[in-house]
């Protein structure tokens, strides 16, 4: 075996202790080439070098030898941006963007639901980013988010691998359907602490509870707060892990009122929890992969108070399901004064599929037709209001009209929520129906996907007011 047949990725050429390590490609295969004795697992090239595959052991070693390939806590930076990449191939395009913009990327960001739907592990997710960062020589800090974690086991799993951010999903502990009428009696300690007072939060805003609202708020959030305090004390209090804590209360049907936001932040703070970000459930709808649906004036009014609250308590506002919310990005940028965390996920997958529509119309049509056939099944996992009747028949569309499907909200949601079924669909003989063909295309036409990401995620950053550096 001779690595001379490989094409070297120029930006990957690194030295450690006088030893060379770089990445190279031959056809479909990308490998690490390293001097003997560094500990890489692989085959000897016969000239003092090892040809090492992109496996988990070698990713672990890369992270040890080259700290820029390991995640770090970036959530406390002024601007951070989550880039859930379900495919393990989007980081190349993301790197091109975040080299230029004044914001810190969280390249690795997956929920357990996303891992399950794509048959991936947190090892895969982190390793894919490590290899991409090494290949492209990206030296800025970047983060890894164990997103929407709900259990001790999952938080432990993410932290044990070195994830630098835990998003604690409190939704299962938030009571729904609680009204002023049906909320149980108020525990006296809360009455004493909150009633008959006005809480100045600065910037001309203050918070005042009446008995009914407070009773309702305690009933809705009491258990969620206890859960967050317990998880913080268990994992993060002693500082054993270099990880930031995000509190997520967004996965509920009812919006988080500014009053409720104050209560949750106040109780967490008084409970000793140090958190970097909080994700409220905003008014209106933040559906996956499409623009904001709701009353813009009300959103403006509420985000102003949510933002004041974060400054008062000293954390950042986190905006979940932030893909494609173009009509509210300017007010998010303005009201948070350019201090925020925004998460995207599905839109990175949609851009990958837009690239397929551009580069291989026949493959795209086949995937699209399959997505239509399993759409109903997929709605069990995601809340959407898709009307399939609004999607043109791909059999009638000319090839060059296919990419425009990604400007159609109903088509976007169709492809958005069926990703797991598309990627795991198998033929009778056990081979993947679409997965391998899709990955081959994305590898061979990498620049088509990279360009789409730079344009589309770049639009997010521009509208949020993030400057280029
Ligand atoms: Zn969320």
């Amino acid at each position: 075996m001779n690595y001379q047949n490989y094409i070297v990725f120029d930006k990957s050429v690194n030295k450690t202790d006088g030893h060379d390590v770089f990445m190279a490609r031959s056809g479909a295969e990308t490998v690490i080439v390293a001097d003997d004795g560094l500990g890489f697992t692989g085959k000897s090239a016969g000239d003092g070098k090892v040809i090492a595959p992109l496996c988990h052991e070698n990713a672990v070693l890369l992270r040890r030898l080259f700290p820029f390939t390991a995640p770090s806590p970036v959530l406390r930076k002024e601007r951070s941006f989550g880039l859930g990449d379900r495919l393990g191939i989007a980081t190349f395009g993301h790197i091109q963007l975040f080299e230029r913009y004044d914001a810190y990327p969280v390249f690795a960001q997956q929920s357990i639901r996303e891992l399950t739907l794509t048959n991936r592990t947190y090892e895969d997710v982190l390793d894919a980013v490590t290899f991409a960062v090494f290949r492209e020589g990206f030296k800025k800090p970047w983060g890894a988010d164990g997103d929407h974690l709900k259990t001790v086991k999952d938080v432990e799993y993410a932290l044990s691998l070195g994830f630098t951010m835990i998003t604690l999903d409190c939704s299962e502990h938030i009571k729904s359907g609680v009204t002023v009428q049906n909320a149980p009696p108020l525990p006296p300690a809360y009455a004493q602490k909150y009633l008959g007072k006005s809480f100045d939060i600065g910037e001309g805003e203050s918070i005042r509870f009446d008995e009914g609202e407070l009773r309702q708020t305690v009933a809705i959030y009491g258990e969620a707060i206890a859960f967050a305090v317990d998880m913080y004390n268990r994992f993060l209090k002693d500082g054993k892990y270099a990880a930031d804590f995000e509190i997520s209360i967004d996965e509920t049907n009812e919006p988080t009122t500014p009053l409720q936001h104050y209560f949750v932040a106040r109780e967490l703070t008084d409970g000793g929890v140090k958190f970097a970000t909080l994700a409220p459930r905003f008014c209106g709808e933040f559906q996956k992969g499409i623009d904001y649906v709701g009353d813009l004036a009300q959103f403006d009014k509420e985000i102003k108070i949510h933002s004041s609250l974060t400054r008062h308590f000293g954390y950042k506002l986190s905006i979940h399901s932030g893909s494609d919310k173009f009509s509210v990005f300017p007010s998010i940028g303005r009201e948070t004064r350019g201090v925020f965390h925004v998460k995207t996920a599905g839109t990175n997958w949609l851009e990958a599929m837009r690239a397929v529509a551009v580069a291989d119309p026949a493959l795209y049509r086949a995937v699209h037709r399959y997505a239509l056939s399993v759409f109903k099944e997929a709605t069990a996992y995601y809340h959407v209001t898709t009307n399939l009747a609004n999607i043109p028949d791909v059999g009638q569309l000319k090839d060059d009209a296919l990419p425009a499907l990604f400007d159609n909200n109903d088509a976007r949601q169709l492809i958005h929520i069926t990703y797991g079924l598309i990627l795991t669909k198998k033929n009778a003989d056990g081979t993947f129906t679409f997965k391998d063909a899709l990955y081959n295309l994305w590898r061979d036409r990498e620049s088509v996907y990279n360009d789409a990401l730079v344009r589309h995620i770049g639009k997010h950053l521009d509208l949020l007011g993030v400057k280029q550096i």
Side-chain angles (χ1 to χ4, degrees), residues 280-291:
R281 161 47 162 110
F282 294 105
C283 59
E285 290 207 42
F286 275 60
Q287 287 190 29
K288 309 289 181 183
I290 63 169
D291 205 342

Side-chain angles (χ1 to χ4, degrees), residues 148 248 250-251 320:
H148 278 280
S248 139
D250 65 303
E251 303 267 314
H320 285 199

Side-chain angles (χ1 to χ4, degrees), residues 312-363:
H312 174 71
F313 286 104
Y315 53 83
K316 293 200 302 186
L317 202 58
S318 180
I319 292 94
H320 285 199
S321 304
S323 294
D324 305 277
K325 302 300 176 287
F326 299 119
S327 64
V328 290
F329 285 152
S331 65
I332 291 171
R334 185 180 64 243
E335 297 305 336
T336 61
R337 300 179 188 169
V339 179
F340 53 75
H341 183 64
V342 170
K343 290 195 191 194
T344 66
T347 207
N348 298 294
W349 149 255
L350 285 173
E351 289 307 307
M353 289 307 296
R354 192 199 297 264
V356 176
V358 170
D360 191 340
L363 178 59

Side-chain angles (χ1 to χ4, degrees), residues 2-174:
N2 190 335
Y3 66 88
Q4 314 296 358
N5 301 330
Y6 288 76
I7 301 159
V8 175
F9 289 101
D10 290 340
K11 292 178 184 163
S12 74
V13 179
N14 275 279
K15 264 193 194 308
T16 175
D17 251 352
H19 292 289
D20 290 328
V21 184
F22 57 88
M23 252 181 205
R25 180 175 61 196
S26 170
E29 187 193 26
T30 295
V31 295
I32 298 164
V33 182
D35 285 357
D36 272 342
L38 287 174
F40 283 97
T41 305
K43 288 182 215 154
S44 171
D47 64 346
K49 294 204 188 294
V50 174
I51 312 270
L54 304 189
C55 64
H56 179 61
E57 291 72 28
N58 289 335
V60 171
L61 183 57
L62 267 187
R63 287 194 281 272
R64 211 172 68 220
L65 295 175
F66 303 102
F68 71 91
T69 67
S72 42
V74 295
L75 200 57
R76 289 174 193 278
K77 308 273 190 194
E78 290 200 335
R79 281 163 296 289
S80 47
F81 201 90
L83 296 146
D85 168 20
R86 294 170 182 156
L87 301 168
I89 55 170
T91 303
F92 304 115
H94 293 150
I95 282 174
Q96 292 183 19
L97 260 185
F98 283 86
E99 271 171 344
R100 302 204 317 256
Y101 278 86
D102 183 21
Y104 289 84
V106 176
F107 287 140
Q109 171 208 289
Q110 297 285 278
S111 64
I112 298 295
R113 174 175 67 182
E114 288 169 314
L115 293 182
T116 309
L117 289 175
T118 53
N119 279 332
R120 296 176 84 205
T121 63
Y122 271 151
E123 284 88 339
D124 299 335
V125 172
L126 190 56
D127 294 351
V129 178
T130 289
F131 294 133
V133 164
F134 185 78
R135 198 191 91 175
E136 296 304 310
F138 182 78
K139 301 282 166 55
K140 249 167 92 166
W142 55 275
D145 180 6
D147 194 10
H148 278 280
L149 301 183
K150 299 179 179 179
T151 66
V152 166
K153 179 173 134 273
D154 292 341
V155 172
E156 211 154 39
Y157 173 38
L159 288 172
S160 72
L161 293 171
F163 275 60
T164 56
M165 169 174 176
I166 295 298
T167 299
L168 188 70
D169 183 331
C170 301
S171 57
E172 282 172 11
H173 305 272
I174 297 172

